[in-house]
RNA sequence: GGGCAUGUGGCGGAAUUGGUAUACGCGUACGUCUCAGAAGCGUAUCCCGUAAGGGUUGAGGGUUCGAGUCCCUCCAUGCCCACCA
């Protein structure tokens, strides 16, 4: 009775390969293009349930769109550089390249087993020289346009992974990957100038139809704040302390100035202070602290620069100068004016160090610090003015300038690791960096390296790389030993899909014009402030370099929910609640697993759904019922479809609309309702059954193919057109009758029935009449085809 | 501490976006088939009530003929940011 899913799957998959169904002709002019993208996987070697969720759902939509006449680009590739391959190499001496290849092969088999319709012919693998050649080429372009920079800066260093990290890869002061507390180091490294694009990355969000929470997260990450630079001259010296403030309106209340311990003025001032030793001790103590220790909201610490004072540019009064680590060196100017009456941090510091607190804004509460706006007091000629409105004039009065600051930092892309794209740079004998000329690209990753982490980049141990540089560039020239952050590889892969085999260019202009921007991009929420921001930056930068025709890459973005363990907890090996999809595929079939994932909940909401074994068996039973329907010859009479036509039309509209919203849970429900009606019907016409199979095909592609063949269908069910029904002539519609907003019954009316007809019919209903109990309604609300409400 | 989102049965969730709350499915109970079990099939399943009827979308208030949906206050949960001046 039960269908043999393993046999059906094998046969169907072979048939699709034979028909070459899923290789998209990018140059086809007869159909409307649709670019459907999911985040390409890292080849960890095993397909977990999250991958299934991501690929099954997008595959359902890809199949649906093809049947609806679209030319769908649905590509796949592998984000194949990264730490795990290197760790495997260190652990058991594996070759990272071979390890990665083997994992890719294994995952390919698994992805094929799902019955996905991805186009393998356009596959990209980021660790393949034919791909990274263009990553390097793009890096060179960015360098030539001064968007890639080699400079010294304070960087985050992970002592366990022995590499620097991008700001985005530090979470709560710890390495995002391994959880080790991050240290701060000053190193000369490569940066991409994402800060040049901060404003455009921000304003570009406005027009995107993304969920507000994704846009808000990016806005928070970019962190725009408008304010002013003000200068506090140092008494008796030439230097001035430049501060950034968002509250220039409070400058009359600035009773001291604070420098970050790393501030460049600290060294020159040191000779003039009377407590040199104390200051030096403070600086070395704070620089030794980890990132996390410094950001803990403990009691404020600091030290006064004895003998130094600065001039408040508004009051012209001398104020003391402090060093404190609550001021960040890397934001603004690394120095702040402290207004303890109107800032919580300054207030706390002033209390501890007994500094004067000068109130300059009359607030709504007496309590200090008062953070809000209000009426200015103790502010000279500005007394009595509104603090917000006076900002601009106060900046002018104090000799400052208005400015805008962003929280986002430049993207640090150097990694002291082996398994990454080599940075195509060499240094001349003076140590000046030069990009590797195009004819030497791909700049190959050497293989003769020592993987043991020493704090130095593994590439430094390669003899071949050193000899290569000497041979090409001459004696005294040295290679760059760092590799690129893997997020660089994944910032442009969607351009490459359009022309993945091109040896002469990174993509194809005509095809980019035709296919971009990407219509819908599905992925994980963890990439909101990393991959998604980087990819947007890359696109804008390449647009400015006239290399790509678009300046926003992704029209729609859907972050998927999370599949939890059966216990409702996040899946983890230690909890023992990890669901292995392979077992379910073996037991219940790929179709059942796909369709269950579609049914589990709305895909485009950030929910989390517990995996439920009974849910999979339920879907399998549902598929059995369809199979049973198709195998019942007595049901297949060619009679007029009667009431089933309306049911089919309803289901078709629902499945189509819900598909467009990525709400496949209700789409599956619509199919279930349809099947319930089929089973209740005396007979099911073959044509109706075929329409059901076509609608089933995206969800359960193998079974639909099998039953299609059984019913004598030509070709593949996946080549059929999606059923579209003319609006069947509806003769009667149920209108709900309410009295005072409460349901008291319903009447069947013609769809366009007049109010008078509706009222007449409604009053004849006994439950309505008794609810009215003889009273005349004072008001009647009638919404055609929906509701009739009597107000008494 | 700040921002954003979300709260609907025992569970996953639905509600044409202001118009029949609880679709679809899981689970559960009873029945049917069976020597028996499994599977299948059928019926019931938000709460109170024999019924008529009444109540119910985290809590309270408001707007409206009508609120799960809009507004205000509060509570809870999740995510993001966090000494960013």
């Amino acid at each position: 009775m039960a269908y043999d899913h393993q046999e059906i799957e094998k046969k169907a998959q072979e048939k699709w390969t034979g028909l070459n169904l899923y290789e998209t002709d990018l140059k086809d002019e007869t159909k409307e293009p649709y670019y459907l993208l999911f985040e390409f996987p890292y080849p960890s070697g095993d397909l977990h349930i999250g991958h299934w969720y991501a690929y099954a759902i997008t595959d359902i939509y890809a199949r649906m769109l093809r049947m609806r006449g679209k030319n769908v680009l649905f590509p796949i590739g592998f984000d194949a550089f990264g730490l795990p391959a290197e760790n495997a190499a260190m652990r058991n001496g594996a070759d990272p390249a071979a390890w990665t290849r083997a994992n890719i092969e294994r995952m390919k088999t698994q992805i094929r087993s799902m019955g996905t319709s991805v186009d393998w012919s356009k596959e990209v693998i980021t660790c393949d020289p034919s791909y990274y050649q263009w990553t390097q080429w793009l890096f060179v372009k960015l360098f030539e346009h001064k968007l890639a920079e080699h400079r010294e800066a304070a960087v985050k260093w992970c002592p366990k992974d022995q590499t620097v990290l991008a700001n985005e890869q530090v979470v709560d002061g710890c390495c995002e990957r391994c959880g080790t507390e991050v240290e701060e180091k000053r190193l000369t490294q490569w940066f991409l100038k994402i800060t040049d694009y901060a404003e455009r990355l921000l304003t570009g969000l406005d027009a995107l139809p993304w969920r507000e929470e994704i846009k808000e997260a990016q806005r928070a990450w970019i962190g725009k704040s408008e304010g002013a630079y003000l200068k506090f001259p140092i008494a008796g010296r030439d230097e001035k302390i430049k501060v950034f403030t968002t509250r220039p309106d409070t400058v009359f209340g600035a009773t001291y100035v604070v420098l970050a311990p790393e501030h460049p003025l600290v060294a020159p001032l040191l000779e003039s202070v009377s407590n040199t030793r104390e200051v030096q001790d403070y600086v070395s103590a704070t620089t030794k602290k980890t990132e996390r220790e410094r950001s803990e909201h403990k009691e404020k610490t600091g030290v006064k620069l004895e003998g130094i004072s600065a001039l408040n540019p508004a009051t012209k009064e001398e104020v003391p100068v402090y060093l404190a680590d609550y001021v960040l060196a890397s934001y603004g100017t690394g120095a702040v004016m402290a207004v303890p009456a109107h800032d919580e941090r300054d207030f706390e510091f002033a209390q501890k160090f007994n500094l004067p607190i000068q109130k300059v804004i009359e607030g709504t509460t007496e309590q200090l610090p008062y953070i809000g706006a209000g009426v200015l007091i103790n502010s000279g000629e500005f007394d009595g003015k509104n603090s917000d409105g006076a900002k601009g004039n106060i900046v002018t009065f104090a000799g400052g300038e208005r400015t805008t600051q962003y929280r986002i930092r430049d993207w640090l892309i150097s990694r002291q690791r082996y398994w990454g794209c080599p940075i195509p740079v060499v240094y001349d004998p003076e140590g000046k960096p030069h990009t590797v000329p195009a004819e030497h690209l791909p700049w190959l990753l050497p293989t003769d390296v020592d993987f043991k982490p020493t704090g130095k980049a593994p590439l430094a141990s390669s003899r071949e790389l050193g000899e290569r540089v000497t041979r090409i560039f001459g004696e005294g020239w040295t290679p760059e030993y760092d590799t690129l952050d893997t997020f660089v590889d994944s910032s442009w892969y969607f351009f490459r899909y359009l022309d993945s085999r091109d040896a002469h260019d990174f993509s194809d202009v005509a095809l980019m014009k035709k296919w971009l921007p990407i219509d819908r991009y599905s992925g994980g929420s963890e990439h909101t402030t990393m991959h998604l921001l980087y990819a947007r930056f890359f696109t804008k930068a390449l647009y400015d370099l006239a290399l790509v025709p678009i300046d926003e890459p992704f029209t729609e973005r859907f972050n998927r929910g999370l599949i939890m363990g059966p216990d409702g907890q996040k899946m983890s090996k230690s909890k023992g609640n990890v669901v292995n999809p392979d077992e379910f595929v073996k037991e219940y079939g790929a179709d059942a697993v796909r369709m269950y994932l579609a049914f589990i909940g709305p895909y485009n909401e950030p929910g989390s759904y517990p995996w439920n074994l009974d849910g999979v068996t339920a879907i399998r039973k549902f598929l059995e019922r369809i199979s049973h329907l198709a195998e019942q010859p007595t049901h297949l009479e060619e009679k007029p479809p009667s009431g089933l036509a309306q049911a089919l039309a309803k289901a078709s509209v629902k499945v189509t609309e819900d598909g467009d919203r990525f709400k496949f849970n209700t789409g599956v429900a619509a199919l279930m309702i349809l099947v319930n009606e089929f089973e209740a019907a005396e007979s099911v016409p073959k044509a109706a059954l075929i329409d059901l199979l076509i609608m089933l095909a995206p969800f359960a592609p193998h079974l639909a193919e099998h039953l299609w063949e059984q019913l004598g269908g030509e070709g593949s069910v996946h080549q059929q057109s999606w059923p579209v029904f003319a609006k069947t002539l509806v003769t009667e519609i149920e209108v709900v009758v309410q009295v005072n907003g409460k349901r008291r019954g319903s009447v069947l009316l013609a769809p366009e029935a007049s109010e008078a007809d509706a009222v007449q019919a409604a009053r004849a209903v006994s439950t309505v009449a008794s609810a009215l109990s003889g009273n005349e309604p004072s008001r009647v609300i009638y919404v055609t085809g929906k509701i009739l409400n009597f107000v008494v």
Side-chain angles (χ1 to χ4, degrees):
Chain A
M1 183 217 69
Y3 65 85
D4 181 346
H5 57 263
Q6 291 187 344
E7 196 197 313
I8 287 175
E9 284 167 17
K10 189 164 166 272
K11 248 182 84 185
Q13 285 167 21
E14 280 168 7
K15 177 175 175 178
W16 303 334
T17 309
L19 289 171
N20 195 24
L21 278 189
Y22 304 122
E23 190 174 328
T24 307
D25 176 6
L26 295 174
K27 296 190 171 125
D28 185 341
E29 292 298 333
T30 62
K31 295 186 222 156
E32 197 186 331
Y34 191 100
Y35 193 163
L36 179 62
L37 183 69
F38 56 78
E39 286 165 359
F40 63 165
Y42 176 79
S44 57
D46 213 15
L47 211 64
H48 57 73
I49 201 76
H51 291 118
W52 263 84
Y53 194 37
Y55 310 156
I57 300 300
T58 42
D59 185 64
I60 289 169
Y61 195 52
R63 289 180 180 277
M64 205 178 271
L65 286 179
R66 284 191 204 99
M67 294 169 111
R68 283 163 60 188
K70 295 273 194 333
N71 191 22
V72 180
L73 173 57
F74 187 47
I76 187 166
F78 292 91
D79 188 14
F81 273 132
L83 220 43
E86 204 169 332
N87 288 341
M90 280 186 283
R91 234 185 357 260
N92 42 34
D95 168 27
W99 184 89
T100 304
R101 290 277 159 196
N103 283 350
I104 288 175
E105 284 317 307
R106 188 174 144 62
M107 284 177 88
K108 272 191 191 179
T109 310
Q110 286 177 305
I111 292 167
R112 287 203 164 98
S113 80
M114 298 172 59
T116 50
S117 60
V118 291
D119 182 351
W120 288 102
S121 74
K122 297 169 180 61
E123 177 187 26
V124 301
I125 297 175
T126 59
C127 68
D128 195 307
S130 70
Y131 181 89
Y132 74 65
Q133 162 178 9
W134 297 106
T135 307
Q136 292 171 331
W137 186 82
L138 290 170
F139 173 88
V140 171
K141 291 286 160 204
L142 293 175
F143 177 83
E144 287 167 356
H145 289 82
K146 309 219 177 322
L147 288 170
E149 256 184 16
H150 197 230
R151 64 165 193 252
E152 194 196 64
V155 299
K156 317 285 193 291
W157 172 266
C158 174
K160 177 147 180 283
D161 289 343
Q162 295 279 321
T163 184
V164 299
L165 300 170
N167 236 18
E168 289 79 355
Q169 290 161 336
V170 179
V171 177
D172 291 333
C174 295
C175 171
E176 182 220 21
R177 181 172 289 281
C178 69
T180 310
E181 273 193 37
V182 166
E183 293 167 4
E184 193 148 291
K185 281 196 174 189
R186 278 201 85 80
L187 290 170
T188 302
Q189 301 278 301
W190 286 97
F191 290 87
L192 293 185
K193 297 199 70 185
I194 195 169
T195 52
D196 284 6
Y197 285 79
E199 187 61 33
R200 278 167 66 191
L201 287 168
L202 200 60
T203 52
L205 289 170
D206 295 341
L208 292 174
W210 296 4
R211 283 182 69 96
E212 202 51 36
E213 66 208 276
I214 306 177
K215 296 206 270 185
E216 272 305 316
Q218 289 209 351
R219 287 190 191 113
W221 189 261
I222 295 166
K224 179 178 184 171
S225 60
E226 305 202 38
Y229 291 133
L230 296 177
K231 285 180 190 142
F232 284 64
I234 299 171
R237 297 178 65 106
D238 294 335
E239 296 105 329
K240 291 174 177 167
I241 299 173
K242 189 176 177 186
V243 304
F244 172 70
T245 178
T246 55
R247 295 297 303 274
D249 49 315
T250 62
V251 64
F252 284 89
T255 51
Y256 63 103
V257 171
V258 192
L259 304 180
E262 298 88 348
H263 196 282
L265 271 176
V266 174
L269 288 178
L270 211 52
E271 60 197 46
S272 323
V273 300
S274 55
N275 56 341
T276 316
R277 191 56 197 267
E278 205 189 337
V279 173
Q280 278 175 331
D281 285 352
Y282 184 75
V283 171
S284 62
T286 48
T287 46
K288 258 191 229 133
K289 283 190 197 171
T290 63
E291 178 82 5
R292 188 212 279 266
E293 282 169 341
R294 278 186 68 163
S295 67
E296 271 173 3
H297 298 219
K298 279 194 260 172
E299 213 176 300
K300 297 265 181 294
T301 63
V303 63
K304 189 178 180 188
L305 296 182
E306 297 287 356
I308 302 283
S309 64
L311 225 57
N312 182 319
T315 62
K316 312 290 181 205
E317 278 168 24
E318 285 192 16
V319 296
V321 179
Y322 279 78
L323 240 52
D325 68 357
Y326 78 90
V327 174
L328 305 175
S330 52
Y331 184 76
T333 60
V336 302
M337 65 176 204
V339 186
H342 305 290
D343 181 279
E344 280 170 3
R345 296 150 299 186
D346 298 342
F347 184 79
E348 202 187 313
F349 191 84
Q351 285 203 310
K352 176 155 178 194
F353 289 87
N354 263 319
L355 290 156
I357 297 171
Q358 169 73 329
K359 191 172 161 182
V360 291
I361 291 175
E362 198 63 68
T364 44
T365 59
E366 269 308 297
Q367 189 166 1
L368 292 180
Y370 174 77
I371 316 297
V375 178
L376 289 164
I377 54 170
N378 301 322
S379 299
E381 61 186 83
F382 298 99
D383 281 358
K385 294 217 161 65
N386 177 276
S387 60
D388 269 342
K391 270 183 187 178
N393 290 337
I394 295 182
V395 172
T396 313
F397 173 81
E401 53 172 318
R402 300 206 109 183
T403 182
T404 302
Q405 292 287 315
Y406 298 90
R407 203 195 69 100
I408 193 172
R409 307 293 147 84
D410 275 333
W411 176 13
L412 172 55
I413 53 168
S414 308
R415 293 293 180 277
Q416 292 70 47
R417 303 298 313 205
Y418 171 68
W419 191 236
C421 174
I423 298 175
V425 165
V426 289
Y427 298 90
D428 65 26
E430 278 78 52
K432 192 166 173 275
H434 301 264
T435 52
V436 173
E439 67 261 33
H440 296 297
L441 299 184
W443 189 243
L444 290 174
L445 186 65
T447 50
D448 59 331
V449 294
D450 182 3
F451 294 114
K452 277 196 272 344
T454 57
K456 271 186 134 182
L459 292 197
S461 67
S462 165
R463 263 188 74 173
E464 185 271 319
L465 182 61
E467 288 170 359
R468 191 198 310 170
V469 169
T470 308
R471 190 180 67 244
I472 297 172
F473 300 95
E475 282 298 331
W477 288 65
T478 51
E480 167 66 59
Y481 295 127
D482 291 346
T483 53
L484 288 174
D485 179 7
T486 56
F487 278 106
V488 179
D489 310 328
S490 57
S491 290
W492 71 279
Y493 74 108
F494 41 90
F495 294 117
R496 186 65 180 168
Y497 277 145
L498 293 169
D499 196 18
S500 60
R501 301 289 172 267
D502 192 341
H504 307 289
D505 205 349
F506 78 102
S507 189
D508 180 285
V509 178
L511 290 176
M512 283 194 282
K513 279 193 179 136
K514 179 175 159 73
W515 285 89
L516 296 173
I518 285 147
D519 292 279
R520 185 170 290 189
Y521 192 21
S522 144
S525 57
E526 69 275 19
H527 286 128
T528 301
T529 52
M530 295 203 274
H531 165 62
L532 224 47
L533 210 47
Y534 296 148
R536 290 185 60 222
F537 157 65
F538 245 74
T539 304
K540 286 179 189 302
L542 298 186
Y543 175 80
D544 288 351
L545 271 51
L547 290 171
V548 303
I550 50 157
D551 126 301
E552 273 299 337
F554 316 119
T555 302
E556 287 185 301
R557 166 70 185 190
F558 285 171
N559 281 359
R560 70 172 165 275
L562 225 54
I563 306 293
M564 312 300 259
D567 55 357
Q569 301 283 309
K570 207 169 174 172
M571 285 190 204
S572 80
K573 278 183 194 146
S574 58
K575 287 198 199 106
N577 62 350
V578 175
V579 171
N580 177 4
D582 290 354
E583 289 169 25
F584 287 90
V585 172
K586 206 171 155 223
E587 182 85 17
Y588 301 101
D591 289 341
V593 177
R594 287 169 61 107
M595 204 158 182
Y596 170 64
L597 288 168
F599 191 53
I600 201 166
Y603 183 84
N604 58 339
E605 285 172 26
S608 53
Y609 310 108
W611 177 267
N612 179 4
L613 170 63
D614 291 323
V616 188
T617 54
I619 295 290
R620 170 68 194 220
K621 283 177 197 166
F622 173 67
L623 293 173
E624 298 280 2
R625 282 163 59 199
I626 294 176
S627 162
H628 191 67
L629 269 176
E631 282 161 2
Q632 287 264 314
T634 52
H635 270 78
L636 297 179
E637 293 167 36
E638 295 282 1
K639 278 205 294 187
S642 70
L644 290 186
Q646 193 135 359
L648 263 171
K650 250 179 158 171
S652 153
V653 169
K654 188 80 181 138
V655 175
T656 310
E657 284 178 356
D658 290 348
D660 286 338
R661 295 188 296 154
F662 260 38
K663 291 195 66 163
F664 294 104
N665 53 333
T666 47
V668 173
L671 289 178
M672 286 172 169
I673 293 168
L674 184 63
V675 169
N676 289 345
E677 298 211 30
F678 275 24
E679 285 177 340
E682 295 252 316
S683 71
V684 179
K686 190 172 167 183
L689 199 58
I690 283 173
D691 282 337
L692 168 65
L693 287 186
I694 293 173
M695 288 194 280
L696 178 72
F699 298 91
H702 309 92
L703 181 65
E705 188 72 272
H706 173 71
L707 297 177
W708 170 259
E709 281 177 14
Q710 278 201 337
L711 290 178
E714 297 281 317
S716 167
V717 68
H718 300 289
Q719 292 168 311
Q720 309 310 310
S721 301
W722 191 252
V724 180
F725 294 88
K727 261 203 169 166
T728 27
L729 218 72
V730 186
T731 49
E732 276 189 329
I733 200 156
E734 189 188 30
V735 172
V736 169
V737 183
Q738 297 181 331
V739 176
N740 288 331
K742 282 202 196 300
R743 184 185 204 274
R744 295 298 166 178
S746 68
V747 287
L748 287 172
L749 295 170
E752 298 304 324
S754 69
E755 181 173 319
D757 290 346
V759 169
Q760 197 187 8
R763 301 193 78 146
V765 178
S766 63
T767 47
V768 174
S770 71
L772 283 170
S773 60
N775 295 317
E776 270 311 298
S778 59
R779 203 176 150 190
V780 176
I781 289 112
Y782 178 56
V783 182
T784 311
K786 270 185 183 164
I787 206 154
L788 176 69
N789 189 10
F790 293 112
V791 184
V792 195

